[in-house]
Amino acid sequence: MIDNQKEKSFLKNVKTILDDDIDHMDAGTLSRLKRIRRTAIEKEESNAIGVWHRFRIPVAGLAMVSIMILVMTLCLRGPSGTIATNVLEDVDLITSGENLHFYADLEFYAWLAEEQDNAG
Amino acid sequence: METIGNVRLKMDQFLASVERRAFRMALFATNDSEDSLDIVQDAMLGLVQKYHSKPEQMWKPLFYRILQNRIRDWYRRGSVRNRFRAWLTNRMQSDSDVPEDPMESIADANGKNPADMAQIGDASKALKVALKSLPLRQQQAFLLRAWEGLSVAETAGAMCCSEGSVKTHYSRAVHTLRKMLEDHWP
């Protein structure tokens, strides 16, 4: 118990000396530490702005492309809306879960069927 | 939800609260002011860039973890070169007529008598010498626990070791320091 109290007293003395030491740190070191801290904070600010710029361009680009598709769709739409319908079908096709290779091979199968008809 | 500006202000306040102790801890480990400033800078940048979005109560253990990693990196990078330089600096300081701590040459505004000042000055010098002589792990465990006030768990996180290791390093450091400083603090 006594030793525990002595240890506490010792640790308190150590802390006091170390705290006193940094309270009287030289002005040059304090100034450099302040500069380091400022640099770190400013770097975080510039990184945050950079991230915003990095995302802003793709988002703006995507918005532009979407608008262009919409405009083209509206401009190209005929009386019956067939071209727009084809565009929409294409979009539907691409976004469907079907294997696109199947559709690419359709032309081959159509040709094969024709050849077989001719042969037969 | 905190605004970004508010988080930056709190981060600035936090770094201001730890920068002096962090510098001193690095200085005890490296005995080189320039390298210590670099280590502190790396720790600040690391915390700000990677962990600024973490809850505020995590900043201190995270900061000291980065600091400890940088100190270990310093040792790994140039152990032979740096130790020679540190030894040389120690030799030069001990042989030099310039006092190690400039504040020791300034009169105490609190009115302590010269005998008290001499005792405090001696104890301060003796403590610094004793701390520098400790093995790195014991030294840093002691400073993080006894000076910075980190818990055993937080210190283990900062030093990337088990809580058992922290307790061992700490108790050995306390034992050694008490033995070395018993003339100043019986």
Side-chain angles (χ1 to χ4, degrees):
Chain A
M1 188 66 81
I2 295 172
D3 190 65
N4 203 16
Q5 284 172 352
K6 281 188 177 177
E7 184 173 305
K8 278 187 180 174
S9 172
F10 167 79
L11 293 172
K12 190 180 170 190
N13 285 335
V14 167
K15 194 170 183 311
T16 300
I17 286 183
L18 292 174
D19 285 341
D20 191 61
D21 183 48
I22 61 171
D23 285 343
H24 296 98
M25 197 172 272
D26 64 280
T29 304
L30 287 174
S31 169
R32 291 188 69 179
L33 285 171
K34 188 177 178 181
R35 215 176 319 138
I36 284 169
R37 177 166 35 96
R38 287 267 167 255
T39 303
I41 298 291
E42 281 163 15
K43 197 147 173 62
E44 195 274 330
E45 283 175 4
S46 64
N47 280 352
I49 292 167
V51 165
W52 161 240
H53 278 300
R54 275 204 300 275
F55 278 108
R56 196 177 68 171
I57 290 167
V59 165
L62 195 62
M64 282 291 296
V65 168
S66 303
I67 291 168
M68 279 174 62
I69 290 174
L70 185 63
V71 165
M72 282 172 64
T73 305
L74 292 171
C75 289
L76 290 173
R77 187 170 56 187
S80 61
T82 50
I83 293 176
T85 306
N86 288 341
V87 167
L88 289 174
E89 278 178 355
D90 287 344
V91 170
D92 190 42
L93 175 68
I94 291 165
T95 56
S96 76
E98 297 287 349
N99 187 343
L100 289 180
H101 290 297
F102 169 69
Y103 294 102
D105 289 339
L106 269 181
E107 277 191 33
F108 167 75
Y109 290 123
W111 170 84
L112 186 64
E114 197 179 327
E115 287 296 309
Q116 283 174 342
D117 287 341
N118 292 340
Chain B
M1 190 173 162
E2 296 242 51
T3 63
I4 293 173
N6 206 22
V7 171
R8 284 204 193 106
L9 178 63
K10 286 188 177 179
M11 177 63 77
D12 187 57
Q13 288 169 343
F14 165 73
L15 291 177
S17 75
V18 296
E19 62 190 13
R20 298 186 197 190
R21 277 195 298 279
F23 171 74
R24 268 288 180 256
M25 284 186 197
L27 192 59
F28 279 128
T30 65
N31 210 36
D32 187 294
S33 294
E34 289 302 317
D35 287 352
S36 298
L37 285 167
D38 286 343
I39 286 170
V40 172
Q41 181 169 344
D42 281 353
M44 286 186 176
L45 281 169
L47 181 75
V48 165
Q49 287 178 332
K50 293 180 190 172
Y51 302 115
H52 67 275
S53 57
K54 293 289 183 188
E56 201 177 331
Q57 61 267 28
M58 292 181 69
W59 289 351
K60 188 184 273 193
L62 284 169
F63 173 77
Y64 280 109
R65 181 175 193 146
I66 302 170
L67 190 83
Q68 289 297 311
N69 285 342
R70 293 294 177 271
I71 290 173
R72 274 200 301 277
D73 289 345
W74 182 88
Y75 267 81
R76 285 188 198 124
R77 267 201 311 274
S79 58
V80 174
R81 175 174 52 84
N82 292 331
R83 280 173 195 165
F84 177 75
R85 197 152 36 112
W87 173 83
L88 199 60
T89 307
N90 267 337
R91 289 292 301 270
M92 286 169 66
Q93 278 180 346
S94 64
D95 294 344
S96 171
D97 290 333
V98 176
E100 195 174 314
D101 186 349
M103 290 306 296
E104 286 176 13
S105 61
I106 296 175
D108 179 29
N110 293 331
K112 290 192 177 69
N113 65 53
D116 290 338
M117 285 299 294
Q119 196 176 18
I120 292 168
D122 285 344
S124 175
K125 264 189 184 171
L127 173 61
K128 286 177 189 172
V129 168
L131 279 167
K132 284 178 190 174
S133 73
L134 289 175
L136 180 66
R137 300 292 267 174
Q138 288 182 24
Q139 180 196 87
Q140 295 298 308
F142 177 81
L143 291 170
L144 288 169
R145 292 274 293 125
W147 192 21
E148 185 53 67
L150 295 189
S151 67
V152 172
E154 288 170 335
T155 306
M159 293 179 64
C160 297
C161 66
S162 66
E163 292 186 21
S165 294
V166 167
K167 289 175 185 173
T168 302
H169 291 317
Y170 178 73
S171 85
R172 285 178 183 167
V174 171
H175 176 80
T176 304
L177 289 171
R178 284 182 74 184
K179 207 165 168 52
M180 292 177 77
L181 298 168
E182 60 191 355
D183 290 341
H184 298 276
W185 303 308

